[in-house]
Amino acid sequence: MNAMRDPRDEARRAVAAAPGNPIAWVVLADAELDAGDGASGEAAARRALALAPGHPEALARLGRAQWLRGQHRAAADSLGQAARAAPRHPGIALWLGHVLEDVGEAEAAADAYARAHALAPGSAQIAAYLLAWRRRLCDWRGLDALSAQVRAAVAHGEAAVEPFAFLSEDGDALEQLRCARLNAIGVARAVRPLPPRGPASDGPLRIGLLSNGFGAHPTGLLTVAFLEALRAEPGLEVHLFALNAGDGSLVRQRLEAATTLHDVSALPHTAVAMRIREAGIDVLHDLRGWGGGGTPAVLAMRPAPVQVNWLAYPGTSGAPWIDYVLADGFVLPQALETGFSEAVARLPRCFQPSDTRRAPAAPPARAECGLPDTGVVFCCFNNSYKTNPASFMRAMAVLRGVPGSTLWLLSGPGRGDDRLRAAATSAGVDPARLVFMAKQPHAAYLARLQLADLFLDSNPYNAHTTASDALWAGCPVLTRPGRTFAARVAGSLNHHLGLGELNVADDRAFVELAIALGRDPARLHDVRLRLEQLRASSGLFDMPGFARDFAAMARAMADRHRSGLAPAPIQLQEASS
């Protein structure tokens, strides 16, 4: 293999040759930022500004560096200055949109994305950012045209758009694979892999998990009880590589007690990869993938001999450096395998664990939550970007069919709630029947969930952690499993729980069953009673059992590698207790 040139080395030679050239320092800042080194990127950007005060390109790199280092307000200020100095620069407008998202200026971020798209209407990458943010704001203007532009660009290999946002488009697994591969190609071009690791030494199997969610975050909440149970499995060492700093939460404390946790949040990509390599990890699970805050470049360096896509990114990595995707037979049936670059490793139970040590507190009064005293409470606490026009109109049909019912939603950013109220009015539903819940601490959220009678899921990106939370709190989930991994997670939970009748075939069946349950209190009560019984008896919430299966799967992957065999599909039978 030819040695790859490091763009930073070339940029450093350029500034050494012309230290008074501000553009050379801008190029160096870009190279450092692409390598995940925010401190060095900021230093280079500040040197460029010292040579050319107010230069918009230098200000933009300073903003990017500040954003990478978590200094979001300062980043917004720097990029705001850059945008004012270069009002016709679409890239600067795009970066400004990113940081405005993070400082909570939701509508201003949308304006920045719209400005970037107006300046570069042919850029599918910019269109994708505008599309994703409009979905989050429930601003459905021009949605179909933007989606068509983005999907066409992916189909023709013309642009690499963010795979995570692409999951919300109504495509299939093959489209998602093309999208992921385009991004993987770009990462591979910029990364120098580590030398191959030699044969593993004798000793315990070293399992690694890489994520930016090890704390009070959906990933931490899903994994903490399972990782505690994994301690009982013999012959394992479990290492967490946290891309997020400690948040002081109880979940973080439990994770630190259950595993060896490495805080790599301040390290550039190469240093993170070296920490994984130095820990001697045999099987590394990427718990972020193409999601926000993930580090595909670290995985592309091949720090571990076996690497697995699991849990947080519900689709294929499209990456040659990921060997397996950890799934189950429902969420990833054989019919979808052609849409995955990885070998499929199927657990005998649902691929998604849960924190079964949570005990929901007593629910508050309905009035305290803004709910009416009587009437069926339907809910959908999915993030706002999942609430697309089709799913919302389906829910409106349910409300029209169940007099006196309410739809309880998670409040979204910006003016999203007002837009949904307007959409309800247009659908012939009194907007007062929509009740919005602000984000709550997790314990308070679980307590409130108990007031909901039935969860109405969304498509094509359905409830994942949210569905698990609802079931744990005793709220049944009605879903329509679709044709992608992201559209089948809630269905997998229902299937493995034993409530497969809540997995319906189409939108008509969804509306009919929701109305039937909403108008028949005895039938709905029976479903909720069965959920309570199954929650205690099914394998869905059996974390010691999940830990046994997970350990057995990791051993099977490692054994194939040690035997010199290429990754291949693995169908694990349920491990005995």
Side-chain angles (χ1 to χ4, degrees):
M1 181 182 295
N2 294 330
M4 293 182 61
R5 291 181 297 176
D6 188 336
R8 290 175 296 175
D9 292 340
E10 295 183 16
R12 288 165 184 161
R13 284 193 291 271
V15 297
N21 182 349
I23 297 304
W25 287 98
V26 167
V27 172
L28 176 57
D30 264 337
E32 299 288 8
L33 293 170
D34 288 344
D37 191 338
S40 296
E42 180 173 346
R46 290 194 182 280
R47 179 60 180 158
L49 284 169
L51 294 167
H55 195 294
E57 297 286 2
L59 281 166
R61 272 62 178 190
L62 175 59
R64 284 186 62 202
Q66 291 164 326
W67 176 83
L68 187 62
R69 303 186 75 187
Q71 301 164 5
H72 295 157
R73 184 68 263 174
D77 292 341
S78 297
L79 281 160
Q81 292 179 56
R84 289 188 291 274
R88 299 198 60 78
H89 193 308
I92 291 176
L94 179 66
W95 292 334
L96 177 60
H98 294 338
V99 298
L100 289 173
E101 283 187 35
D102 289 329
V103 297
E105 296 185 23
E107 299 293 337
D111 291 342
Y113 289 138
R115 185 163 60 254
H117 187 250
L119 291 168
S123 170
Q125 289 177 310
I126 292 177
Y129 284 115
L130 176 59
L131 172 63
W133 196 241
R134 281 191 174 169
R135 288 194 184 282
R136 192 173 289 275
L137 293 177
C138 299
D139 181 353
W140 299 330
R141 295 173 299 157
L143 221 58
D144 290 343
L146 288 168
S147 182
Q149 179 183 1
V150 170
R151 291 177 68 182
V154 169
H156 297 110
E158 296 170 354
V161 304
E162 284 199 347
F164 183 80
F166 196 73
L167 297 177
S168 294
E169 305 313 307
D170 197 12
D172 59 26
L174 284 171
E175 283 187 75
Q176 293 177 359
L177 174 60
R178 283 192 287 270
C179 180
R181 276 185 169 152
L182 287 168
N183 282 267
I185 289 168
V187 172
R189 287 173 178 160
V191 167
R192 179 186 297 173
L194 299 175
R197 201 187 86 178
S201 59
D202 293 336
L205 181 68
R206 294 177 176 87
I207 295 175
L209 294 88
L210 175 70
S211 177
N212 68 338
F214 290 132
H217 177 278
T219 297
L221 291 163
L222 288 176
T223 57
V224 62
F226 135 71
L227 288 169
E228 289 167 337
L230 198 59
R231 288 180 297 183
E233 294 302 305
L236 298 182
E237 278 186 16
V238 181
H239 296 254
L240 306 188
F241 297 89
L243 297 166
N244 58 308
D247 58 4
S249 67
L250 178 59
V251 171
R252 179 73 168 219
Q253 294 169 27
R254 289 170 61 189
L255 290 168
E256 290 172 343
T259 68
T260 299
L261 189 146
H262 308 258
D263 184 344
V264 296
S265 58
L267 299 181
H269 300 328
T270 301
V272 175
M274 286 305 303
R275 286 286 292 275
I276 295 168
R277 173 63 61 86
E278 290 162 1
I281 299 302
D282 300 299
V283 182
L284 177 64
H285 299 76
D286 181 12
L287 273 64
R288 200 61 197 152
W290 295 114
T295 53
V298 171
L299 280 296
M301 294 177 195
R302 269 287 181 183
V306 178
Q307 301 189 156
V308 185
N309 169 16
W310 178 49
L311 194 61
Y313 180 73
T316 183
S317 68
W321 55 82
I322 299 293
D323 304 298
Y324 293 94
V325 57
L326 189 58
D328 63 66
F330 188 97
V331 80
L332 207 173
Q334 287 188 350
L336 296 187
E337 281 194 30
T338 55
F340 283 75
S341 60
E342 307 92 340
V344 180
R346 292 185 176 90
L347 296 168
R349 65 187 77 228
C350 180
F351 80 102
Q352 181 178 283
S354 181
D355 184 6
T356 51
R357 288 181 57 184
R358 300 172 293 172
R366 287 171 63 125
E368 185 179 333
C369 301
L371 298 169
D373 293 336
T374 60
V376 174
V377 177
F378 297 107
C379 76
C380 182
F381 293 134
N382 285 342
N383 279 313
S384 56
Y385 60 84
K386 300 182 183 182
T387 306
N388 56 29
S391 292
F392 186 75
M393 291 304 139
R394 190 172 67 185
M396 292 301 96
V398 174
L399 289 190
R400 290 194 300 268
V402 184
S405 61
T406 298
L407 179 61
W408 200 7
L409 300 164
L410 186 66
S411 184
R415 297 195 298 273
D417 298 357
D418 291 336
R419 293 186 178 101
L420 290 180
R421 291 187 182 100
T425 300
S426 297
V429 173
D430 182 352
R433 295 175 68 185
L434 273 56
V435 176
F436 293 91
M437 179 179 71
K439 286 194 174 181
Q440 303 286 325
H442 191 70
Y445 163 63
L446 277 184
R448 283 162 170 74
L449 257 173
Q450 296 169 91
L451 296 175
D453 295 300
L454 182 66
F455 191 107
L456 303 180
D457 201 10
S458 55
N459 289 92
Y461 196 154
N462 61 37
H464 296 181
T465 306
T466 312
S468 180
D469 289 339
L471 294 172
W472 186 247
C475 177
V477 176
L478 177 62
T479 189
R480 174 176 66 78
R483 53 184 178 157
T484 65
F485 192 121
R488 301 181 64 82
V489 174
S492 176
L493 290 164
N494 279 342
H495 171 78
H496 289 94
L497 180 66
L499 280 177
E501 69 267 28
L502 295 183
N503 294 344
V504 298
D506 53 35
D507 286 348
R508 179 177 178 178
F510 185 102
V511 172
E512 289 177 352
L513 182 53
I515 291 174
L517 290 171
R519 298 181 72 151
D520 189 342
R523 183 179 176 187
L524 182 56
H525 174 75
D526 179 65
V527 171
R528 292 174 64 87
L529 182 60
R530 287 179 55 221
L531 167 57
E532 183 179 350
Q533 294 166 343
L534 290 167
R535 189 178 57 187
S537 62
S538 78
L540 180 63
F541 292 111
D542 175 8
M543 289 305 100
F546 187 96
R548 288 192 297 272
D549 293 340
F550 184 91
M553 183 64 81
R555 292 188 185 102
M557 294 173 181
D559 287 347
R560 285 194 64 84
H561 175 75
R562 288 167 176 169
S563 299
L565 299 174
I570 301 173
Q571 178 67 62
L572 186 70
Q573 301 303 312
E574 188 167 349
S576 60
S577 58

